[in-house]
Amino acid sequence: FSHALSGLAFFESGRDAMVERLPQIASDMAHLMQLPQDPQFVQFALEATARMSKVPELQNALVCTGVMWRALPLLLHFDLSLELKAAAGSAPEEDEVGDGEEEEAKGEEEGAASPAGGLDTSQEV
């Protein structure tokens, strides 16, 4: 359920539909934060809350129902070292990387060829 809410809240039209369902949608989010959770459930619930907070009416309703207070302990249990370990497992070894001059030169070449100065402009903002 939290995954569906997160996906719905991603789109402006989805957030608009959520505004029409106030205060029930905010109350539902407050209840979701209290359920026994697995890490992925928590991630989607927090993403939904963050995306919903883009709309002032939803943001106010989330605060009024206490979602932020319920989210705080979930955020405090976040362990950055797990993400760092996962990222380190997929990154090349330091010996394989070298001193970085090759990567820097490659980046400069790509930047010169790209009209955006090497920035990836394909990502949404």
Side-chain angles (χ1 to χ4, degrees):
F1 186 68
S2 62
H3 191 197
L5 282 177
S6 178
L8 185 62
F10 180 78
F11 299 101
E12 184 176 349
S13 59
R15 292 188 297 271
D16 292 341
M18 288 178 169
V19 169
E20 295 172 9
R21 307 286 191 282
L22 285 175
Q24 186 61 45
I25 194 79
S27 178
D28 291 344
M29 284 304 297
H31 290 275
L32 282 175
M33 296 285 182
Q34 293 176 322
L35 295 175
Q37 300 134 359
D38 65 28
Q40 197 168 34
F41 181 89
V42 171
Q43 175 187 349
F44 290 131
L46 292 172
E47 283 178 6
T49 302
R51 291 173 176 168
M52 289 170 69
S53 295
K54 292 179 180 180
V55 177
E57 294 91 352
L58 288 171
Q59 186 181 65
N60 187 40
L62 290 170
V63 169
C64 289
T65 57
V67 168
M68 298 305 150
W69 289 111
R70 291 181 177 106
L72 189 59
L74 299 174
L75 293 169
L76 292 175
H77 284 108
F78 178 73
D79 187 359
L80 180 62
S81 66
L82 296 176
E83 283 193 6
L84 294 175
K85 287 178 185 176
S90 63
E93 294 295 321
E94 190 173 53
D95 294 335
E96 295 175 11
V97 174
D99 59 359
E101 291 178 14
E102 295 174 3
E103 288 80 12
E104 188 175 311
K106 182 180 176 185
E108 289 173 3
E109 291 173 5
E110 290 174 358
S114 171
L119 297 176
D120 183 10
T121 57
S122 64
Q123 295 179 351
E124 293 183 27
V125 177

